[in-house]
Amino acid sequence: MSVQYLPCDVAELRSLFLFEKLTDDQLDWLCRKGRVQMEEPGAVYLEGEPATCFYVLLEGTVVMSRRVGADDVEVSRTSDRGVYAGAFQSYLGDRVPQVYNSSLRVTEPSRFYVLSSDHFAELMREWFPMAVHMLEGLFFGNRSTKQAIGQRERLLALGSLSAGLTHELNNPAAAALRATATLRERVAGMRHKLGMIAGGPLDRATLATLIELQERAVEQSAKAVQLTPMETSDREDAISDWLDDHGVTAGWDLAPNFVQAGLDTDWLERVAATVTPDTLDSAMRWLNYTVETELLMNEIQDSTARISTLVNAARQYSQLDRAPYQVVDVHELLESTLHMLTGKFGPGIKVVKDFDRTLPKIPGYPGELNQVWTNLIDNAVAAMEGTGTLTVRTALDREQLLVEFRDTGAGIAPEIRERIFEPFFTTKPVGEGTGLGLDISWRIVVNKHHGDLQAESVPGDTRFLVRLPLTAEQPEAAPDAASDARPEAARQASPDSPSDNQREPS
């Protein structure tokens, strides 16, 4: 782009709010060390380039934009004289990345006062040493505080997940332990009854038929149909009455097992036709032991399968056995996170999964995406206060993978909606939230994955929309990098960016 260099006017510099308190010698120094240049319409500098110059607008119109995913998002447009941009953090030295955190362009021929980053750093350190110390303390102090609290939030989330996982594991483990103890008793009783039957008047053919009925009972229990409570009650009454009519003692105790195994009175009639009336009671109890042991083994299998599922979910969630950056199936990550958070849902919250399983795998950091899912799901559950529906949906949206978290809570008040991604902003009571969950999520999605995170909310319908690119870009070093591409309302409050009273054109 064509650049025209012009004379520097001390009087013009003095007319700017930025320089109005400087001495004549200082203004002379600015004119000697800097320059005035005319920029034609187009880009002045691009985001990510080395920050070599500090720009102050003398006349014209500037537009500042930030890179969000594959799009350039305009965050500011102004013609105010004296607004500045560029290498305004050069006095911090190599302790922060010295690159442009935004892109700047002009829409008409515009005139700038331009000072090199080295001279701007020299100016700040020599003319305003106390201010530099205070700004450094503010910048690095806030960043350290945010990192410490962020780490604390991660530890609190991990503790909460660990407690929930322990609770979830305890239930199937206790069930398997109880079933194993009961199974031991039933097998002992079965051996005792088998001895009584074998020593009784049954001939070999009758005993073989009884054993065949036993095998069929086992087969039937494996494919038993789940009955409604009313159907179960009716069938238990019918079987209990049949057992009482045929002289089987305590038939009410055997009926529930027979019903659970899918057996009915027709099957009982076949047993009665096989044995004599005086051995029917023993035969029924022996078959009950058979059915009950099968049901107990099914319970143990279900419990251990549940434990295995939880362990696999925990391993998938933690990503301990995987590379930090890889091609991942988003649905696997969502499933593992939902498993880990099951203990937080409670009986009043319904979870709906609307997944498009045809979506491709995407490149990313699975452990940190799980952290995003955790933050968004945890916020949704808290917003519903124990009652509502959480819907997790995936879809393809304009060549990006969309993950939507929708809850039926009270919603986000309009007056705070633009602040929810600000660091340290929270609506939770003191001690219950750090205000960094959405800030961290934003950095992971936008800065590290080059995606987008937005919120839409009306009472009863709040949605957080995560969009992730389908193809890989150059991985970032960390989600806590100094650059910050959040929406303007949140970005101005970030310690990584100038505040409003600095009048940066952003």
Side-chain angles (χ1 to χ4, degrees):
M1 185 177 67
S2 174
V3 178
Q4 180 183 1
Y5 296 104
L6 303 171
C8 178
D9 184 355
V10 169
E12 184 176 31
L13 294 185
R14 183 181 286 110
S15 68
L16 303 177
F17 70 88
L18 195 61
F19 303 136
E20 60 187 1
K21 299 297 184 181
L22 299 183
T23 66
D24 291 341
D25 290 341
Q26 289 172 327
L27 292 172
D28 287 337
W29 186 93
L30 288 176
C31 275
R32 284 187 287 106
K33 298 295 184 179
R35 63 183 183 271
V36 174
Q37 64 187 48
M38 179 72 75
E39 298 275 357
E40 295 300 322
V44 178
Y45 61 75
L46 298 177
E47 181 175 353
E49 292 180 345
T52 58
C53 293
F54 173 73
Y55 293 84
V56 182
L57 181 65
L58 299 177
E59 64 176 336
T61 301
V62 295
V63 176
M64 179 167 282
S65 61
R66 305 299 298 267
R67 192 72 172 173
V68 179
D71 303 318
D72 286 314
V73 178
E74 180 178 323
V75 294
S76 180
R77 179 185 295 255
T78 183
S79 299
D80 293 340
R81 296 179 68 247
V83 295
Y84 63 86
F88 54 82
Q89 291 182 343
S90 59
Y91 63 90
L92 295 173
D94 57 7
R95 288 172 291 177
V96 299
Q98 292 298 332
V99 296
Y100 293 120
N101 292 335
S102 59
S103 296
L104 189 72
R105 62 185 177 90
V106 295
T107 59
E108 60 179 332
S110 302
R111 202 159 48 90
F112 292 91
Y113 171 75
V114 183
L115 188 65
S116 72
S117 58
D118 290 339
H119 285 141
F120 181 76
E122 177 187 352
L123 176 157
M124 291 293 294
R125 287 192 292 265
E126 295 294 331
W127 296 0
F128 312 108
M130 181 177 177
V132 168
H133 288 309
M134 295 181 70
L135 288 171
E136 286 177 338
L138 177 65
F139 183 90
F140 293 110
N142 278 351
R143 192 164 71 172
S144 298
T145 300
K146 185 161 58 174
Q147 289 174 347
I149 294 180
Q151 182 66 19
R152 177 63 175 171
E153 181 169 89
R154 293 184 181 96
L155 291 174
L156 288 174
L158 179 60
S160 177
L161 288 172
S162 298
L165 180 61
T166 301
H167 175 74
E168 292 297 316
L169 286 171
N170 182 65
N171 290 336
L177 186 62
R178 289 193 302 269
T180 302
T182 305
L183 179 62
R184 188 184 302 276
E185 296 177 3
R186 297 301 181 267
V187 170
M190 187 177 181
R191 290 197 301 266
H192 177 68
K193 286 296 179 184
L194 180 59
M196 293 178 59
I197 292 174
L202 298 179
D203 56 32
R204 179 173 296 180
T206 302
L207 188 58
T209 303
L210 193 59
I211 291 174
E212 182 182 356
L213 289 172
Q214 178 191 35
E215 293 299 323
R216 291 182 180 177
V218 171
E219 294 175 3
Q220 181 63 30
S221 67
K223 55 184 179 181
V225 178
Q226 185 72 29
L227 302 176
T228 65
M230 185 64 71
E231 292 172 336
T232 300
S233 179
D234 291 343
R235 186 168 292 187
E236 285 180 2
D237 289 342
I239 290 180
S240 181
D241 291 343
W242 187 96
L243 293 172
D244 290 342
D245 293 342
H246 287 75
V248 178
T249 58
W252 53 268
D253 195 27
L254 308 182
N257 291 332
F258 289 158
V259 171
Q260 189 177 351
L263 307 179
D264 53 20
T265 53
D266 291 339
W267 183 83
L268 298 180
E269 290 288 354
R270 294 177 60 190
V271 177
T274 301
V275 300
T276 59
D278 58 327
T279 60
L280 179 61
D281 186 282
S282 295
M284 283 297 176
R285 295 193 179 281
W286 179 56
L287 291 172
N288 175 66
Y289 283 133
T290 299
V291 169
E292 192 172 8
T293 55
E294 193 67 24
L295 295 175
L296 287 169
M297 285 190 288
N298 288 342
E299 184 177 348
I300 293 172
Q301 182 180 14
D302 292 341
S303 298
T304 53
R306 173 63 177 161
I307 292 173
S308 178
T309 299
L310 287 169
V311 171
N312 286 335
R315 184 177 61 185
Q316 174 73 20
Y317 181 86
S318 65
Q319 296 291 316
L320 291 177
D321 58 346
R322 302 203 178 187
Y325 185 77
Q326 59 182 286
V327 177
V328 297
D329 185 343
V330 168
H331 300 107
E332 289 183 1
L333 304 183
L334 290 169
E335 292 279 12
S336 67
T337 304
L338 288 169
H339 274 300
M340 293 291 290
L341 296 176
T342 298
K344 288 192 172 186
F345 295 151
I349 293 181
K350 178 183 179 182
V351 178
V352 176
K353 293 182 286 189
D354 182 11
F355 292 165
D356 181 357
R357 298 284 185 175
T358 65
L359 293 174
K361 294 182 178 181
I362 64 170
Y365 298 83
E368 297 187 13
L369 287 176
N370 279 338
Q371 187 180 357
V372 174
W373 313 151
T374 300
N375 290 337
L376 298 181
I377 292 173
D378 188 56
N379 285 348
V381 171
M384 291 186 285
E385 298 181 341
T387 304
T389 301
L390 169 66
T391 302
V392 183
R393 182 174 74 93
T394 62
L396 186 64
D397 182 18
R398 294 179 301 175
E399 302 304 319
Q400 290 182 309
L401 190 147
L402 169 68
V403 184
E404 176 184 300
F405 299 86
R406 177 183 179 186
D407 69 74
T408 57
I412 305 170
E415 59 269 20
I416 67 170
R417 194 171 302 160
E418 293 185 351
R419 300 190 60 198
I420 60 175
F421 293 109
E422 291 182 15
F424 306 109
F425 179 78
T426 179
T427 58
K428 296 179 180 178
V430 176
E432 293 187 16
T434 62
L436 286 178
L438 290 179
D439 172 59
I440 291 171
S441 298
W442 173 274
R443 292 175 182 275
I444 291 173
V445 172
V446 176
N447 292 0
K448 197 156 190 180
H449 289 85
H450 307 285
D452 187 27
L453 174 58
Q454 297 178 350
E456 301 173 356
S457 182
V458 296
D461 185 1
T462 298
R463 307 182 186 198
F464 280 86
L465 308 173
V466 179
R467 293 181 175 88
L468 298 168
L470 300 178
T471 56
E473 294 190 28
Q474 182 66 30
E476 298 291 342
D480 296 326
S483 62
D484 188 0
R486 67 192 68 247
E488 177 63 12
R491 196 185 61 79
Q492 289 174 342
S494 168
D496 298 333
S497 304
S499 59
D500 281 338
N501 58 14
Q502 291 175 308
R503 300 193 188 177
E504 183 210 3
S506 52

